[in-house]
Amino acid sequence: MPRGVGELSSDNHSAADNQQERLIEIGWITGFVDGEGCFSINFIRQPGRIDRKGYHTGYQVAHEFVVTQGAKSVECLHRLRQFFGVGQVLVNRRHDNHKEHLYRYVVRKRDDLWNEIIPFFERYSLRTSKRNDFLKFAECLQMIRTNDHTTIGGMIKIVEIAETMNRCKPRTEIIRILRDYTPNIRW
Amino acid sequence: MPRGVGELSSDNHSAADNQQERLIEIGWITGFVDGEGCFSINFIRQPGRIDRKGYHTGYQVAHEFVVTQGAKSVECLHRLRQFFGVGQVLVNRRHDNHKEHLYRYVVRKRDDLWNEIIPFFERYSLRTSKRNDFLKFAECLQMIRTNDHTTIGGMIKIVEIAETMNRCKPRTEIIRILRDYTPNIRW
């Protein structure tokens, strides 16, 4: 075989291999996140800072995509970090009788979630009930992007969505406080 | 475009799509099993049946590949069942304060594990530390196929491998019993 043809053939082969590997990687990420991932929306009381943009309601919204693994499998989390190009791998040291430290791949920044994480899982669907959590998470992020969370009405809606996510932690206390709350600002 | 060409093009397109979907499916299975799967080897005392093939040592070896999900995601388990073409989806009903029943995709038959499950995960590697459990599981199955488990020496080796799998449950009691055990048969 002429050298050129061999090279071309080998290049084509390698491009096809890379494409195969990438599709398997994409599938692996969706499966692993179906098993170990978590999309969560939380609320942090910030009553003394209602003059700050985003805290007008007395609450800050915290949004997080997390995948957790023991120390033995931390390499997988670094791989996720490399794939998405955003977020961090953080250690959660355990000094009790657990056998290994826990590691968490965490993405918290709004832009990183909006530009990298959400488009990926919109294109490549999760298959467990975690898909519903993801869709609610994306809906909350969309509302936050349009500053709905700076109004009491918008924040109550986000809290109501969040309380149906994951283990369905009731948020009645936060909703009650928000409904009773009349800070000295326009909303 | 002539009808035939259009059909061919559409067929090619659909074949490429199917291939893409299959690769993503394969990736999804490896990722999901990395998160939620379990390969386990257990030992069941069978002291009264040492005349039966496989129980010569006084123990029966039980081998199992399991993936567990809550009722809301049971569809994923049926999909695994369909993909591998072996095993069963079983319900583990929970009547206490848990919100939903648990379901388990379970493959226990030796031939099914050997012909379907093991070759798949040999070809498409797991990426977490569960890969080590899988390799040990496959090693035990290989030993069982060559009837090593019917000898005390072989069974002790299988127990020693099994005690390093999953949560590293010590098997010192079984090993002690096996070492002390001298049934009235040749081994």
Side-chain angles (χ1 to χ4, degrees):
Chain A
M1 190 189 298
R3 195 162 168 265
V5 174
E7 273 172 7
L8 183 65
S9 158
S10 154
D11 282 356
N12 280 348
H13 181 66
S14 133
D17 279 358
N18 288 346
Q19 171 66 356
Q20 277 208 4
E21 274 168 30
R22 186 168 165 82
L23 291 168
I24 289 177
E25 177 90 2
I26 285 167
W28 184 86
I29 289 170
T30 56
F32 196 55
V33 168
D34 260 325
E36 303 283 304
C38 183
F39 298 91
S40 70
I41 301 280
N42 281 296
F43 305 92
I44 302 159
R45 194 87 207 264
Q46 297 281 11
R49 305 168 76 187
I50 59 165
D51 52 336
R52 189 170 153 178
K53 183 178 177 275
Y55 298 0
H56 292 176
T57 61
Y59 281 93
Q60 175 191 358
V61 191
H63 26 60
E64 197 177 65
F65 166 58
V66 180
V67 186
T68 305
Q69 280 296 285
K72 278 186 291 185
S73 303
V74 67
E75 193 43 51
C76 290
L77 302 185
H78 289 295
R79 203 158 162 169
L80 285 180
R81 161 78 189 76
Q82 195 170 18
F83 182 88
F84 286 115
V86 296
Q88 292 168 279
V89 176
L90 305 173
V91 63
N92 186 357
R93 292 188 194 284
R94 313 211 299 181
H95 299 289
D96 47 9
N97 62 353
H98 292 287
K99 290 204 179 72
E100 53 177 355
H101 295 320
L102 278 186
Y103 285 79
R104 293 153 50 87
Y105 170 59
V106 183
V107 185
R108 289 194 184 120
K109 281 190 192 158
R110 202 166 295 167
D111 285 349
D112 292 346
L113 291 165
W114 190 254
N115 297 325
E116 304 299 334
I117 304 301
I118 291 177
F120 178 85
F121 291 105
E122 271 174 347
R123 179 152 179 204
Y124 302 106
S125 283
L126 296 169
R127 301 179 182 189
T128 64
S129 63
K130 209 163 278 177
R131 174 166 161 72
N132 291 331
D133 292 333
F134 164 72
L135 292 173
K136 290 171 183 175
F137 182 81
E139 189 183 352
C140 290
L141 260 286
Q142 168 65 48
M143 291 180 69
I144 292 164
R145 276 179 69 81
T146 50
N147 284 322
D148 289 11
H149 65 303
T150 61
T151 70
I152 296 285
M155 186 63 113
I156 288 176
K157 197 167 168 197
I158 294 170
V159 174
E160 284 172 345
I161 294 169
E163 72 176 354
T164 66
M165 289 169 65
N166 303 318
R167 289 182 197 170
C168 308
K169 196 164 137 192
R171 310 284 192 167
T172 40
E173 181 65 7
I174 297 178
I175 292 175
R176 189 189 60 71
I177 292 170
L178 281 169
R179 289 215 165 107
D180 290 350
Y181 194 65
T182 44
N184 192 19
I185 51 159
R186 249 160 41 97
W187 44 270
Chain B
M1 190 188 296
R3 197 163 165 262
V5 174
E7 274 174 9
L8 183 65
S9 159
S10 153
D11 282 357
N12 280 348
H13 180 67
S14 132
D17 279 358
N18 288 346
Q19 170 68 354
Q20 278 208 6
E21 273 167 32
R22 184 167 166 83
L23 290 168
I24 289 177
E25 176 91 2
I26 285 168
W28 185 86
I29 290 169
T30 57
F32 196 55
V33 168
D34 260 323
E36 303 282 306
C38 184
F39 298 92
S40 70
I41 300 282
N42 281 295
F43 304 92
I44 301 158
R45 196 89 207 263
Q46 297 280 12
R49 304 169 76 187
I50 60 166
D51 53 336
R52 187 170 154 176
K53 182 176 177 279
Y55 298 179
H56 293 175
T57 61
Y59 280 94
Q60 175 190 359
V61 191
H63 26 60
E64 194 177 67
F65 167 56
V66 180
V67 186
T68 305
Q69 280 297 284
K72 279 186 291 184
S73 302
V74 66
E75 194 42 52
C76 290
L77 301 184
H78 289 295
R79 203 158 162 167
L80 286 178
R81 161 78 188 76
Q82 193 169 19
F83 182 90
F84 287 115
V86 296
Q88 292 167 279
V89 176
L90 306 174
V91 63
N92 186 356
R93 292 189 193 284
R94 315 212 296 182
H95 299 288
D96 45 9
N97 61 353
H98 293 286
K99 292 205 179 72
E100 51 177 356
H101 295 320
L102 278 186
Y103 285 79
R104 296 153 48 88
Y105 170 59
V106 183
V107 185
R108 290 195 183 120
K109 280 189 193 159
R110 201 166 295 169
D111 284 349
D112 292 345
L113 292 166
W114 189 255
N115 297 325
E116 304 300 333
I117 304 300
I118 291 178
F120 178 85
F121 292 105
E122 271 173 348
R123 177 149 182 209
Y124 302 105
S125 283
L126 296 170
R127 301 179 181 190
T128 64
S129 63
K130 209 162 279 177
R131 174 166 160 73
N132 292 329
D133 292 334
F134 164 72
L135 292 172
K136 288 170 183 175
F137 182 82
E139 188 183 351
C140 290
L141 260 286
Q142 167 65 48
M143 291 179 70
I144 292 163
R145 275 179 70 81
T146 51
N147 284 323
D148 288 12
H149 65 303
T150 61
T151 71
I152 296 285
M155 187 63 114
I156 287 175
K157 198 167 167 199
I158 293 169
V159 174
E160 283 171 345
I161 294 169
E163 73 176 352
T164 67
M165 288 169 68
N166 302 320
R167 290 180 196 171
C168 308
K169 196 164 138 192
R171 309 283 192 168
T172 40
E173 181 65 9
I174 296 179
I175 292 176
R176 188 189 62 70
I177 292 171
L178 282 168
R179 289 217 164 103
D180 290 351
Y181 194 66
T182 45
N184 191 19
I185 51 158
R186 246 160 43 95
W187 44 267

